[in-house]
């Protein structure tokens, strides 16, 4: 069983669902036109991921292998329905904006993948932490893409946050480039989402490559500096 530190690093960086596994890209690219949209979908996905991981872990010793995948899908669908009802009750306007992508959380391969690869083999607490970290990693990527697209496309940041946090958040809007900014249309269109997502993946790969080279150089320096002395035979 992996340690909680490993689960955190894997979810946020090494095995990030969006940047490494490349799962859930359809909603990631479709609704990240602004921070509020990205945050709403990310929180909904994380809630479903944590809940389904806990439920799958609880029944892991009860459900047979023959029916485990249908059972996992039913669990994920149940938590998705609960999340959908919560959004209808408390963030109805945001729910309407996100539209079909809230029910489509059921088909998010990262959720089913974590249920099958981790939750069904580990106790409840590690499964909950794994779901939380994987959801947080997915949420962070969504928010970063949403922020970049909103800034480049509309010149604002944190616009319409009242859709998620209530009327008190109307004043959170930041005009990054001023009111006269004409906007960069490509950023808010699907090609812009692909470009920004690809840029983030490339940056992550560059960072990983840099640290791998540093680790290899450090290991090489240690091996060169050490000396071995081997004696054979007997000393009279």
């Amino acid at each position: 069983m992996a340690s909680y530190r490993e689960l955190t690093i894997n979810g946020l960086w090494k095995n990030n669902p969006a940047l490494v596994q490349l799962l859930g890209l359809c909603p990631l690219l479709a609704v990240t036109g602004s921070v509020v949209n990205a945050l709403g979908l990310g929180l909904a996905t994380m809630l479903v991921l944590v809940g389904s991981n806990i439920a799958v872990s609880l029944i892991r010793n009860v459900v047979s292998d023959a029916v485990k995948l249908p059972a996992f899908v039913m669990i994920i669908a149940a938590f998705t329905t609960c999340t959908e009802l919560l959004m209808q009750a408390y963030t109805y306007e945001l729910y309407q904006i996100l539209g079909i992508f809230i029910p489509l959380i059921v088909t998010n391969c990262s959720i089913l993948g974590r249920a099958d690869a981790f939750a069904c083999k580990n106790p409840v607490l590690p499964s909950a932490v794994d779901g939380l970290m994987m959801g947080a990693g997915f949420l962070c990527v969504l928010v970063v893409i949403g922020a970049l697209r909103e800034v480049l496309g509309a010149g604002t940041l944190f616009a319409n946050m009242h859709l998620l946090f209530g009327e008190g958040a109307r004043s959170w809007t930041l005009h990054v480039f001023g009111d006269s900014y004409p906007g960069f249309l490509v950023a808010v269109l699907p090609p812009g989402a692909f470009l920004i997502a690809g840029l983030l993946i490339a940056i992550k790969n560059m960072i990983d490559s840099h640290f791998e080279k540093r680790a290899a150089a450090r290991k090489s320096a240690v091996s060169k500096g050490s000396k071995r002395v081997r004696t054979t035979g007997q000393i009279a």
Side-chain angles (χ1 to χ4, degrees):
M1 186 176 64
S3 67
Y4 295 122
R5 181 175 181 273
E6 290 175 346
L7 293 176
T8 302
I9 295 174
N10 285 337
L12 296 178
W13 188 260
K14 287 186 177 180
N15 201 25
N16 188 286
L19 298 181
V20 179
Q21 301 179 49
L22 301 181
L23 298 175
L25 294 184
C26 178
L28 183 143
L29 299 174
V31 301
T32 53
S34 64
V35 173
V36 66
N37 292 356
L39 193 59
L41 181 64
L43 290 174
T45 304
M46 184 167 63
L47 181 61
V48 174
L49 191 50
V50 173
S52 61
N53 267 21
I54 292 174
V56 168
S57 179
L58 288 172
I59 66 169
R60 71 186 189 280
N61 297 322
V62 179
V63 178
S64 65
D65 292 339
V67 297
K68 69 175 185 179
L69 287 180
F72 295 169
V73 172
M74 291 296 293
I75 290 171
I76 295 170
F79 278 101
T80 302
T81 302
C82 293
T83 303
E84 188 177 359
L85 292 174
L86 285 173
M87 293 192 69
Q88 288 180 4
Y90 296 103
T91 58
Y92 185 68
E93 292 183 8
L94 181 60
Y95 168 78
Q96 287 184 311
I97 292 172
L98 297 178
I100 191 63
F101 292 102
I102 295 299
L104 282 179
I105 292 176
V106 177
T107 63
N108 193 321
C109 295
S110 62
I111 300 176
L112 182 60
R114 296 319 297 169
D116 186 48
F118 192 91
C120 68
K121 303 173 184 176
N122 291 275
V124 174
L125 187 56
S127 299
V129 174
D130 177 75
L132 181 63
M133 291 301 106
M134 286 291 172
F138 187 69
L139 171 65
C140 290
V141 176
L142 281 173
V143 171
V144 170
I145 294 177
L148 290 174
R149 293 182 68 189
E150 184 179 346
V151 169
L152 295 175
T156 61
L157 192 61
F158 306 125
N160 299 319
M161 293 298 285
H162 65 281
L163 298 176
L164 186 61
F165 297 105
E167 292 299 320
R170 283 187 179 273
S171 59
W172 292 7
T173 304
L174 299 176
H175 295 276
V176 180
F177 298 119
D179 296 333
S180 60
Y181 180 67
F184 185 51
L185 182 60
V186 175
V188 296
L189 295 176
F194 277 102
L195 291 173
I196 294 174
L199 179 63
L200 292 180
I201 294 171
I203 291 173
K204 182 192 180 301
N205 290 339
M206 289 174 59
I207 294 172
D208 287 341
S209 177
H210 173 70
F211 281 104
E212 287 175 2
K213 289 179 180 178
R214 286 185 58 182
R218 198 160 40 237
K219 185 177 180 181
S220 176
V222 171
S223 61
K224 288 180 180 179
S226 60
K227 296 181 179 180
R228 285 186 176 181
V229 178
R230 181 177 180 182
T231 59
T232 58
Q234 296 181 353
I235 299 177

